[in-house]
């Protein structure tokens, strides 16, 4: 019967990251540096708020766009952080940022449209773009220090270009796009009337003072869609809640598809999400930054090259010297050294000489895993 189902869905591939994570989970003694998930548990006050909301019978259908109390809280929260102010009308509460991304693609893309994304890139964009029968156009950033070169970007634009997706800090590189990169994106988008989707899930995990954001520039308001998540800063991956913000007509348009997809996000979780916005996330950020410094020291001492990250919780490590592809490298690491890593090829064919580690994993796993990686590199260098 599979020949009668939706052909676009048949083309979906299982996430390579999950494949490695699952293989690692089945093997004895493996430490996994694969998944970008905080090891911490959600704060007690947030859990208490959800428990109380249940007792208060927040168990009925929610508003499709999101509870007005939560949307107002998000509007205040974001208004204090960005020059662009979004009203509660311009905010949609989503099922994690994943659904915000999917709803945006579904609401904006027509068959034949093109979406430019700096490569390497986060893995869940492509399937939804292809589902819309649109085409993903990778922008090679490997030759420009993983930043965006305006000439390279311009060269990819044509009359089919509908959207540019920006992820800063980036997954998998951890790179924060410079002012020059974002100015280039804005100039190209404004000149050609191209939407910009800013995937901001790592905005609270930035380790540099020099942080330029698209959401600080009202001149692109009519083109910008911002997706946000509770998953990473509040350790709420399993709660499945996030939000998106866009200029009112665009937000209303995206809300059309969002409401049909999910009806709304679990009522008592929305109440807890108001509480989450009151939490100070600086301690979590400090812990990640401290880990980053320690990881970099280990890699530097072993002379292992990597892309210098300024945010998120990933290190993108260059394995080009070994002349084996990233999947082979990761299979060897898994089978011979019992450490699970993510092949760089999963983020782009252009980065088959990289592997990604996440330093959000359990602290013991992180440093044990890194030691195993260093041992493997030393052994390979002796071959
Ligand atoms: C860049 C990026 N966007 C979106 C997501 C999805 O986050 P959520 O849990 O909010 O769906 C992730 C998760 O790893 C991510 O790395």
């Amino acid at each position: 019967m599979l020949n009668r189902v939706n052909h676009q869905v048949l083309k979906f591939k299982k996430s390579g990251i999950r494949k490695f994570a699952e293989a690692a989970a089945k093997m004895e003694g493996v430490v996994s540096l694969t998944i970008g998930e905080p090891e911490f548990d959600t704060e007690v006050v947030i859990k208490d708020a959800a428990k109380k909301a249940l007792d208060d019978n927040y168990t009925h259908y929610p508003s499709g766009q999101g509870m007005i109390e939560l949307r107002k809280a998000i509007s205040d929260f974001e208004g204090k952080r960005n020059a662009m102010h979004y009203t509660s009308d311009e905010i949609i509460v989503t099922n994690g940022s994943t659904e915000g991304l999917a709803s945006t693609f579904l609401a904006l893309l027509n068959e034949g449209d093109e979406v430019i994304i700096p490569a390497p890139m986060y893995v869940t964009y492509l399937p939804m773009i292809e589902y819309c029968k649109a085409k993903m156009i990778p922008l090679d950033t490997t030759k420009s220090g993983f930043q965006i070169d305006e000439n390279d970007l311009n060269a990819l634009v044509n009359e089919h270009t509908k959207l540019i997706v920006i992820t800063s800090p980036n997954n998998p590189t951890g790179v924060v796009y410079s002012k020059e990169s974002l100015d280039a994106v804005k100039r190209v988008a404004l000149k050609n009337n191209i939407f910009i989707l800013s995937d901001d899930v790592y905005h609270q995990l930035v380790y540099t003072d020099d942080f330029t954001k698209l959401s600080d520039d009202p001149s692109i308001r009519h083109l910008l869609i911002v997706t946000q998540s509770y998953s990473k800063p509040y350790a709420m991956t399993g709660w499945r809640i996030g939000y998106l913000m866009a200029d009112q007509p665009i937000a209303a348009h995206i809300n059309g598809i969002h409401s049909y997809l999910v009806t709304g996000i679990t009522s008592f979780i929305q109440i807890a999400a108001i509480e989450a916005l009151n939490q100070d996330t600086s301690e979590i950020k400090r812990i990640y930054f401290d880990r980053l410094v320690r990881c970099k020291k280990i890699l530097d001492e072993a002379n292992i090259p990597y892309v210098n990250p300024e945010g998120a919780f990933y290190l993108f490590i260059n394995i080009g010297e070994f002349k084996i592809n990233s999947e082979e490298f990761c299979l060897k690491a898994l089978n011979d050294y019992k450490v699970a890593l993510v092949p760089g090829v999963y983020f782009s064919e252009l980065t088959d000489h990289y592997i990604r580690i996440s330093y959000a994993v359990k602290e013991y796993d992180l440093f044990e895993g890194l030691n195993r990686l260093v041992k493997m590199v030393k052994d390979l260098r002796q071959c």
Side-chain angles (χ1 to χ4, degrees), residues 101 105 115-118 125 129 163-167 196-197 199:
L101 293 165
F105 293 134
V115 181
I116 299 176
I117 313 185
Y125 304 137
I129 293 169
L163 178 66
I164 302 172
V165 179
I166 295 298
T167 317
I196 307 171
L197 172 53
D199 178 347

Side-chain angles (χ1 to χ4, degrees), residues 96-98 101 122 125 167 171 199 201-202 229 231-232 240:
S97 65
T98 302
L101 293 165
Y122 175 53
Y125 304 137
T167 317
N171 179 1
D199 178 347
V201 299
Y202 296 108
S229 173
S231 293
K232 317 285 177 175
R240 307 309 306 136

Side-chain angles (χ1 to χ4, degrees), residues 42 77 112 116 142 150 221 232 248 299 313 320 336 342 351:
T42 308
F77 176 86
I116 299 176
T142 58
E150 187 159 357
R221 196 180 211 285
K232 317 285 177 175
Q248 203 280 331
L299 294 173
F313 37 51
D336 298 353
V342 181
T351 50

Side-chain angles (χ1 to χ4, degrees), residues 64 92-109 124 128-129 131-132 163 197 225 227 243-244 250-263 265:
I92 305 172
V93 180
T94 57
N95 185 311
S97 65
T98 302
E99 187 258 315
L101 293 165
S103 288
T104 304
F105 293 134
L106 289 167
L108 297 191
L109 299 179
T124 71
M128 288 316 294
I129 293 169
Y131 181 82
C132 299
L163 178 66
L197 172 53
I225 299 108
T227 49
Y243 50 91
L244 75 76
I250 302 300
H253 178 72
I254 298 174
N255 191 39
I257 186 89
H258 158 83
S259 306
Y260 279 114
L261 271 178
V262 298
T263 304
I265 304 308

